[in-house]
Amino acid sequence: MSNHSNTFSIDGREIPFIAGETVMQAALKANIYIPHLCFNPEFPPNGSCKLCTCDINGRKKSSCCTEAKQDMQVNNETHELTVMRRTLVQMLFVEGNHYCPFCERSGNCQLQAIAYDLGVTDLHFPQFNAQRNVDASHPDLMLDLNRCIFCELCIRSSTEVDHKDIFTIAGRSINKRLAINSKSGLLKDTAMKVTDKSAHICPVGCIIIKGEGFKTPIGQRLYDQHSIRDLGNLRPESAIKAKSIVQPDVKPKKKLKLATCSLAGCFGCHMSFLDMDERLIELLERVELSRSPLNDIKTCAPDCDLGLIEGAVCNTENIAVLRHFRESCKIIIAVGSCAINGGVPSLRNNIDVKDCLDEAYLNGIGLVNPKVPIDKELPYLLEKVYPIHEVIKVDYFLPGCPPPADAFWKILNDLLDGKEPELPYDLLHFD
Amino acid sequence: MDHSLDTAENSENLKRFVIEPVSRVEGHGKVTLLVDDNNQIQQCRLHIAEFRGFERFIQGRPYWEIPILVQRLCGICPVSHHIAAGKAIDMISGVTELTESAYKLRLLLHYGQTLQSHALHFFHLCSPDFLFGFESELAGRNIVGVIQKHPELALQGVKLRKYGQEVIRVICGKRIHGTGCIPGGMNKPLSREDKHYLLGDTEQIIAWAECAVKTARDCYLANEPFHKNFAGLRSNYLSLVGDKGELNLYHGKLRLKDASGNLLFDKQDYCDYQNLIQEEVKSWTYMKFPFIKTMGKESGWYRTGPLARVNNCDYIPTPLAEMARQEFVAYGGKEPVHSTLAYHWARMIEVLFSAEKIKQLLFDPMITGKDLIVQGKRQSEGIGVVEAPRGTLIHHYQVGEDDLITKANLIVATTHNNTALNESIRIVCTQQINGREISEKVLNNIEVAIRAYDPCLSCATHAIGRMPLKVEMRHQQSGELISQLIKDIDGTLHR
Ligand code: SF4
Ligand code: SF4
Ligand code: SF4
Ligand code: FES
């Protein structure tokens, strides 16, 4: 049987393959993008992330592990699969501790890039707050296990290319973790070198080369310029265009009543709202501001159309404000990474609150009258910091830290025009 | 100093009023008043009711990540935190001097930031109080009202801020929370296109900044006797000043003046801040009360920020801003200007200074230089201090051998002003509110006083953990170390 007679179809397109190739391998050669994280063409498949799941002859199968067969029918780009892949990505995010806003791999990270490609704007599930370690014992390398997605590429490359067998997976289910094969369990007691293949293989920000972070400026990072799809020259026509200001051509149908507030956040999201600059003047003609830190109205009008919430939930007062907003506003938009997944304030979730307070107000040096503040005017701190969707129902999510001004403009105009708000690829950021 | 309103003697029978949240300021705070049956105020407090714990949770993070992480303390002046942390991290990487281009880029970044933050504060947040009156109708007393009634002024404010934000964007890749400072320098040169893009507007920006000084001055002088005493305090002033006594927002030595304008100390290395400043904790707020150690908490409190800086410096090294400073100083006469509302005037003088500085820097051929990084020998400790828009900002870090942060201490600008903020609102209570029926309009007087300080209650909620104390005894003549005593965070002492 000659090779060219071997074909199967992906989304109706006939693809050639060589006997023994997987669906993923054949698709890659044909410039068809199937989302994947744990697959790397240099290594045998691992089949752990399941992102490459396709509809293969009517059944859901990982395309990196399924051998291509003559006349196979594969569906890749279906709504159902997109929804499923989104869910998988959301689970990967909440399972670890991913703080894209200050992660040095942001913009160069495959997990993040796939989330952008799939249009993930929120994480849906409650945060796990997994206890994971940072191993910085090695002089040149650092492992931030908070970001590990268990793709096992480091294991495969260390064994097969470096012949060192440094990494392994230990524990099961929620205690699963990447472990180091050394007596101390530390990276410094292995033969790992910065030149090893495994030092450069991690698709996310777990294996880090020390002191190199943030050298690539924003705008020049891999996925700032190309979507993860475009990198395979799959959609060259859709390479990200220079950031353009979206100008709506439809005039507003009605005036919206808008309220905004900041919970545990840094006000950066509000500042980004103001970064609409002159467009603000236009916008403020079409929306009426109710409660907002920008004016002196301290309670929401009961008939607000729209509530923009910045910041995470860290104390009892935040909960009260949030409920007040939910009761008063028809639509609630969670704005920024703090509101959407806890963001930077939730870094305290792996530390005892009492520990934080004691360190600040009791054990400090140079303190006069050291005591932990407690007063009926101070709201109770919550044990953990929560994203707002864990406290109230949220209608839309506007990610970023902060979301760019153009994203505010786009989403508000969509709503003013009575359209379902949508974020184009170049306005979707987690950092 | 009037402590009488700090704590009411008998709070049971008093009516409670609350301003929550304090609005048209950056961040989260609230004010409570306890009032007796004759509408006499017995207690008045500004509470910082949020706690975030930055210093604790950045422990265990790698040091090069810190400038990117800690700017999330504050979205209004993220660049201040980015640069202060950047300076501390330079020190940790053993770099004492940046390349000329990196240094100038940082200056440009910092002045862009000062311009945008000050413009935001005056035009977007505070101008309504002056344009419409402290007790004007609530509905129009905000930026929307300004846009409707004074569209030109509003637009100028919006565009001034926009320009500052654009300076930041071309350097850091984003207007808010970008990346720029990396250990020993900057991650990207300024491109020629970006330089020309910014240069295109400098003249216009300087002209608007001059208008801004006039507007702030005229607003203040229009009702001088009232504005002069409104929340008026006499205080000490703390700021960095440059080597020659000039206004310098990026680097310098600490100077403290008393209320009569006498130098209490000068040319103090900021790395010694622990020996200069102590902090008091009060149970009803998460924000501490710093004071000068040798003076004690009763008289050792001080103010920072634009008023302190313009009062403290000997001159401003740009011509138009220096002229504006001289007029300001002349107004004060023999003493520093103490009026709390004169903060706005001083702030706009700094806007003009920043605008002129930006132009100077853009014409400097080194600004587009590509040599941006220096390397040094790793140290275990770093301190970075800048004059942030709101005042002196201190970042202090210790790092373990594995490059992870072991200790952090941050004293943010607004915290320095804590005593002054509380004192100012108490004076407003006594002067403006006592005996009156308490209404929303009357309470806005309190917020007007708070806004004058441009408090960043967002930064102020980060909460503090102090560094271990280190006492060194040195030989008087030779300066040689005789002995030292170290007290750890847990209180244990060792040598
Ligand atoms: S950028 Fe960093 S934090 Fe974000 S998904 Fe990637 S590894 Fe996780
Ligand atoms: S460290 Fe990186 S390469 Fe290794 S399993 Fe985790 S995510 Fe994969
Ligand atoms: S998402 Fe980022 S910019 Fe927005 S409040 Fe949180 S830290 Fe600030
Ligand atoms: S890429 Fe196929 S399972 Fe991960």
Side-chain angles (χ1 to χ4, degrees):
Chain A
M1 197 166 46
S2 72
N3 274 345
H4 62 254
S5 68
N6 290 346
T7 62
F8 70 102
S9 84
I10 300 185
D11 295 330
R13 207 177 122 192
E14 284 302 308
I15 305 294
F17 70 96
I18 300 168
E21 267 182 343
T22 60
V23 172
M24 176 68 86
Q25 284 166 330
L28 272 185
K29 280 206 292 198
N31 271 355
I32 290 176
Y33 176 70
I34 303 176
H36 58 272
L37 273 171
C38 69
F39 173 76
N40 180 314
E42 295 175 47
F43 299 100
N46 192 49
S48 59
C49 77
K50 303 292 177 228
L51 269 175
C52 66
T53 303
C54 286
D55 219 313
I56 300 180
N57 287 343
R59 295 180 57 196
K60 304 271 182 295
K61 286 186 176 167
S62 312
S63 50
C64 70
C65 298
T66 306
E67 239 180 74
K69 291 271 154 55
Q70 183 65 30
D71 297 330
M72 221 175 203
Q73 301 282 328
V74 178
N75 287 324
N76 173 35
E77 302 273 348
T78 69
H79 178 68
E80 187 200 5
L81 286 170
T82 304
V83 171
M84 188 211 77
R85 287 170 184 156
R86 256 186 220 153
T87 305
L88 285 172
V89 165
Q90 289 168 324
M91 296 198 312
L92 283 172
F93 267 95
V94 296
E95 191 184 60
N97 298 308
H98 292 272
Y99 293 100
C100 299
F102 63 87
C103 175
E104 61 186 89
R105 199 55 66 81
S106 242
N108 289 320
C109 164
Q110 291 183 22
L111 175 61
Q112 192 186 57
I114 286 185
Y116 293 167
D117 183 66
L118 292 169
V120 173
T121 57
D122 70 303
L123 302 184
H124 184 80
F125 302 102
Q127 290 290 333
F128 239 67
N129 297 312
Q131 289 282 353
R132 306 257 192 102
N133 295 338
V134 174
D135 177 350
S137 60
H138 193 284
D140 307 317
L141 293 161
M142 181 180 107
L143 286 183
D144 188 342
L145 297 177
N146 290 294
R147 303 165 181 157
C148 178
I149 54 167
F150 308 114
C151 69
E152 301 189 16
L153 276 167
C154 55
I155 303 181
R156 286 177 274 165
S157 57
S158 179
T159 315
E160 283 159 37
V161 181
D162 306 330
H163 304 294
K164 291 185 177 170
D165 198 15
I166 285 170
F167 301 97
T168 182
I169 298 282
R172 309 181 82 192
S173 72
I174 58 164
N175 296 318
K176 181 165 155 182
R177 62 184 205 283
L178 186 74
I180 306 295
N181 285 322
S182 73
K183 222 169 179 186
S184 61
L186 292 173
L187 198 60
K188 73 169 158 63
D189 296 322
T190 66
M192 180 117 177
K193 292 222 168 59
V194 70
T195 46
D196 288 354
K197 178 86 180 171
S198 57
H200 304 269
I201 197 87
C202 183
V204 292
C206 182
I207 303 177
I208 291 282
I209 296 173
K210 281 186 171 180
E212 289 207 331
F214 310 104
K215 288 219 167 121
T216 314
I218 293 175
Q220 295 171 25
R221 304 170 306 182
L222 194 57
Y223 302 113
D224 290 339
Q225 318 203 1
H226 309 278
S227 80
I228 196 162
R229 255 167 218 275
D230 293 336
L231 283 174
N233 290 328
L234 300 162
R235 288 191 322 193
E237 77 287 358
S238 71
I240 302 174
K241 311 221 166 51
K243 294 230 171 191
S244 64
I245 291 161
V246 193
Q247 294 285 1
D249 39 19
V250 195
K251 275 292 151 202
K253 293 201 173 73
K254 60 167 183 163
K255 235 182 172 182
L256 288 185
K257 211 175 260 184
L258 171 73
T260 77
C261 80
S262 171
L263 308 175
C266 78
F267 257 69
C269 291
H270 272 84
M271 292 302 116
S272 196
F273 177 87
L274 292 180
D275 277 340
M276 284 188 276
D277 300 332
E278 301 98 302
R279 288 176 289 170
L280 265 183
I281 295 174
E282 199 180 315
L283 184 79
L284 289 173
E285 276 168 16
R286 291 178 293 164
V287 303
E288 185 188 330
L289 265 193
S290 183
R291 172 184 163 145
S292 162
L294 302 173
N295 59 27
D296 293 341
I297 303 171
K298 318 231 173 196
T299 46
C300 280
D303 59 342
C304 278
D305 295 292
L306 208 56
L308 300 184
I309 317 262
E310 164 199 298
V313 182
C314 81
N315 62 31
T316 47
E317 194 227 315
N318 293 156
I319 295 183
V321 172
L322 205 48
R323 293 202 170 133
H324 167 59
F325 264 74
R326 183 68 273 184
E327 279 160 21
S328 318
C329 305
K330 288 195 201 82
I331 297 172
I332 292 285
I333 306 184
V335 175
S337 88
C338 297
I340 293 174
N341 62 7
V344 167
S346 70
L347 271 175
R348 83 155 155 87
N349 284 2
N350 287 331
I351 303 163
D352 195 3
V353 197
K354 191 174 170 302
D355 229 38
C356 284
L357 285 166
D358 285 359
E359 168 131 359
Y361 298 101
L362 288 185
N363 304 332
I365 308 297
L367 290 186
V368 179
N369 298 332
K371 57 180 162 291
V372 174
I374 176 161
D375 190 270
K376 57 179 184 301
E377 296 294 353
L378 299 180
Y380 291 107
L381 287 176
L382 304 178
E383 198 65 33
K384 297 238 185 292
V385 173
Y386 299 95
I388 68 170
H389 75 83
E390 292 190 37
V391 179
I392 59 161
K393 177 176 169 288
V394 173
D395 301 292
Y396 298 107
F397 298 85
L398 186 56
C401 182
D406 288 355
F408 278 99
W409 179 251
K410 172 72 169 64
I411 220 166
L412 290 173
N413 276 296
D414 282 351
L415 287 165
L416 278 163
D417 296 343
K419 289 194 293 205
E420 185 68 12
E422 237 184 290
L423 275 188
Y425 183 88
D426 59 344
L427 293 181
L428 182 57
H429 284 287
F430 292 173
D431 62 346
Chain B
M1 172 170 148
D2 178 15
H3 276 311
S4 57
L5 298 182
D6 182 292
T7 306
E9 266 170 29
N10 185 348
S11 60
E12 280 91 72
N13 302 320
L14 300 173
K15 280 177 288 181
R16 171 181 175 271
F17 289 87
V18 60
I19 306 177
E20 184 179 20
V22 177
S23 49
R24 289 189 284 132
V25 298
E26 299 89 350
H28 321 86
K30 72 172 177 183
V31 173
T32 56
L33 302 177
L34 295 182
V35 182
D36 69 14
D37 290 341
N38 302 320
N39 285 336
Q40 295 293 316
I41 294 163
Q42 302 297 329
Q43 179 182 303
C44 172
R45 292 169 168 177
L46 168 66
H47 308 263
I48 297 300
E50 205 189 300
F51 172 87
R52 283 197 256 155
F54 262 82
E55 279 124 329
R56 179 63 184 80
F57 64 57
I58 60 178
Q59 292 175 12
R61 300 305 314 169
Y63 69 86
W64 57 86
E65 201 177 87
I66 295 303
I68 316 294
L69 204 179
V70 294
Q71 62 185 339
R72 265 89 187 176
L73 275 164
C74 172
I76 303 114
C77 61
V79 168
S80 313
H81 292 288
H82 186 58
I83 291 182
K87 284 174 79 174
I89 298 319
D90 291 341
M91 200 164 147
I92 285 170
S93 15
V95 173
T96 45
E97 213 180 326
L98 300 180
T99 67
E100 194 180 341
S101 294
Y103 170 67
K104 287 183 170 158
L105 258 186
R106 289 234 187 129
L107 288 181
L108 182 62
L109 178 60
H110 195 42
Y111 287 109
Q113 129 107 351
T114 308
L115 183 74
Q116 73 81 15
S117 171
H118 281 357
L120 165 89
H121 177 255
F122 186 68
F123 290 95
H124 298 64
L125 303 179
C126 291
S127 67
D129 293 325
F130 292 96
L131 296 171
F132 307 126
F134 298 177
E135 299 187 16
S136 59
E137 284 304 323
L138 167 104
R141 209 174 57 206
N142 52 56
I143 180 72
V144 186
V146 182
I147 290 171
Q148 281 159 358
K149 299 268 164 54
H150 304 270
E152 269 198 14
L153 187 83
L155 195 62
Q156 268 180 29
V158 165
K159 288 190 172 166
L160 268 173
R161 171 166 186 274
K162 175 185 182 181
Y163 185 78
Q165 290 288 74
E166 284 296 281
V167 171
I168 298 171
R169 184 187 60 79
V170 302
I171 298 174
C172 288
K174 280 164 78 191
R175 284 179 165 198
I176 300 164
H177 303 330
T179 65
C181 300
I182 53 174
M186 297 292 286
N187 71 359
K188 178 179 85 175
L190 182 68
S191 70
R192 293 180 60 80
E193 300 79 67
D194 285 338
K195 178 174 107 167
H196 288 293
Y197 164 64
L198 293 177
L199 264 176
D201 290 327
T202 46
E203 292 308 327
Q204 179 64 74
I205 293 301
I206 291 176
W208 281 337
E210 280 189 273
C211 285
V213 176
K214 283 200 198 81
T215 309
R217 180 200 60 194
D218 294 349
C219 280
Y220 175 81
L221 292 178
N223 201 349
E224 200 265 344
F226 172 66
H227 285 161
K228 184 175 181 188
N229 291 321
F230 186 90
L233 290 172
R234 288 168 56 83
S235 71
N236 306 307
Y237 295 97
L238 178 80
S239 70
L240 289 180
V241 289
D243 285 346
K244 302 190 190 85
E246 81 281 12
L247 181 66
N248 188 332
L249 305 182
Y250 180 82
H251 197 66
K253 298 243 157 77
L254 288 168
R255 173 181 282 184
L256 182 77
K257 276 190 184 174
D258 72 9
S260 313
N262 303 315
L263 282 181
L264 292 176
F265 60 63
D266 196 15
K267 303 205 164 99
Q268 290 281 346
D269 186 347
Y270 61 60
C271 291
D272 255 0
Y273 80 96
Q274 293 176 90
N275 294 325
L276 300 173
I277 297 169
Q278 266 188 318
E279 293 180 282
E280 187 189 9
V281 183
K282 294 193 182 177
S283 59
W284 45 269
T285 175
Y286 284 121
M287 183 152 75
K288 293 174 192 171
F289 294 82
F291 57 89
I292 302 297
K293 205 167 166 177
T294 50
M295 298 169 73
K297 61 182 182 179
E298 287 304 315
S299 58
W301 59 279
Y302 50 85
R303 294 194 276 188
T304 62
L307 185 66
R309 291 190 290 250
V310 177
N311 275 333
N312 270 7
C313 71
D314 300 333
Y315 69 101
I316 297 181
T318 59
L320 297 172
E322 170 60 11
M323 259 157 55
R325 185 194 71 90
Q326 286 175 9
E327 189 186 352
F328 185 81
V329 170
Y331 166 74
K334 287 202 186 66
E335 290 208 331
V337 176
H338 291 304
S339 321
T340 299
L341 292 179
Y343 257 104
H344 296 292
W345 184 0
R347 195 170 286 122
M348 290 306 106
I349 294 175
E350 290 189 341
V351 164
L352 182 54
F353 169 55
S354 304
E356 289 183 282
K357 221 37 208 177
I358 289 170
K359 183 180 159 192
Q360 265 181 18
L361 285 161
L362 288 172
F363 274 112
D364 190 318
M366 294 308 285
I367 198 73
T368 45
K370 300 204 164 43
D371 180 14
L372 293 176
I373 300 195
V374 193
Q375 278 170 349
K377 188 170 168 296
R378 250 274 265 119
Q379 308 293 309
S380 60
E381 187 161 30
I383 299 179
V385 177
V386 294
E387 280 297 329
R390 290 150 189 84
T392 314
L393 171 66
I394 303 171
H395 280 228
H396 183 182
Y397 304 99
Q398 286 176 355
V399 181
E401 276 189 12
D402 59 1
D403 297 326
L404 303 184
I405 300 287
T406 53
K407 285 278 184 289
N409 185 33
L410 314 169
I411 303 184
V412 301
T414 297
T415 305
H416 294 293
N417 284 334
N418 199 3
T419 304
L421 273 160
N422 274 286
E423 283 308 298
S424 294
I425 60 176
R426 286 169 194 154
I427 293 168
V428 170
C429 286
T430 327
Q431 285 177 346
Q432 315 294 329
I433 303 185
N434 260 349
R436 296 175 69 183
E437 192 67 48
I438 295 191
S439 66
E440 185 281 325
K441 285 181 185 174
V442 171
L443 288 180
N444 188 48
N445 284 297
I446 293 184
E447 291 185 80
V448 169
I450 294 174
R451 280 176 207 129
Y453 291 90
D454 186 9
C456 184
L457 306 179
S458 189
C459 299
T461 50
H462 77 284
I464 303 110
R466 295 280 306 210
M467 304 296 288
L469 175 80
K470 197 165 143 193
V471 184
E472 291 182 346
M473 268 154 282
R474 289 181 185 276
H475 194 274
Q476 250 195 343
Q477 267 100 40
S478 68
E480 212 179 16
L481 191 67
I482 302 171
S483 72
Q484 61 174 17
L485 185 68
I486 299 170
K487 189 170 169 194
D488 282 338
I489 232 76
D490 63 6
T492 54
L493 292 169
H494 55 93
R495 282 176 197 282

